[in-house]
Amino acid sequence: MNGIERVRDALTGAFPEATVEVRDLTGTGDHVEARVVTAAFEGKGLLERHRMVYGALGNAFQGPVHALMLKTLTPAEAGTNPRAMRARTSA
């Protein structure tokens, strides 16, 4: 399993109702962007959302991934922010 799959699996396991999109930013599998849209982020600030994601990732960083860019949104934010709605995924 590559790093992108590890990140995706960890996030979908922790946030089963979420929309999770993960993409490789460099083509080398070590710099990853993850976009997570879930109601679990309602009422939470950016730092708390990122802590939730990093907590969910656990050992996903024991491998090639060493850089992660996060986009953490509630469903309402994803629905009203055109920039956030850009679907960007790759495996």
Side-chain angles (χ1 to χ4, degrees):
M1 179 181 308
N2 69 33
I4 291 174
E5 291 169 338
R6 281 190 207 184
V7 169
R8 184 181 297 116
D9 289 352
L11 293 175
T12 56
F15 305 104
E17 78 297 341
T19 300
V20 175
E21 299 170 350
V22 180
R23 73 178 186 120
D24 184 343
L25 293 173
T26 61
T28 59
D30 59 350
H31 291 76
V32 174
E33 176 184 50
R35 180 178 181 270
V36 183
V37 180
T38 178
F41 295 149
E42 294 285 348
K44 305 214 175 10
L46 184 63
L47 184 59
E48 190 171 357
R49 292 176 186 192
H50 284 210
R51 285 181 177 155
M52 291 169 68
V53 170
Y54 278 105
L57 289 173
N59 294 330
F61 280 106
Q62 289 183 350
V65 176
H66 66 259
L68 177 66
M69 183 169 61
L70 292 176
K71 293 183 181 181
T72 52
L73 305 164
T74 65
E77 291 166 341
T80 59
N81 183 344
R83 183 177 168 162
M85 285 301 293
R86 290 187 198 149
R88 298 187 298 174
T89 61
S90 68

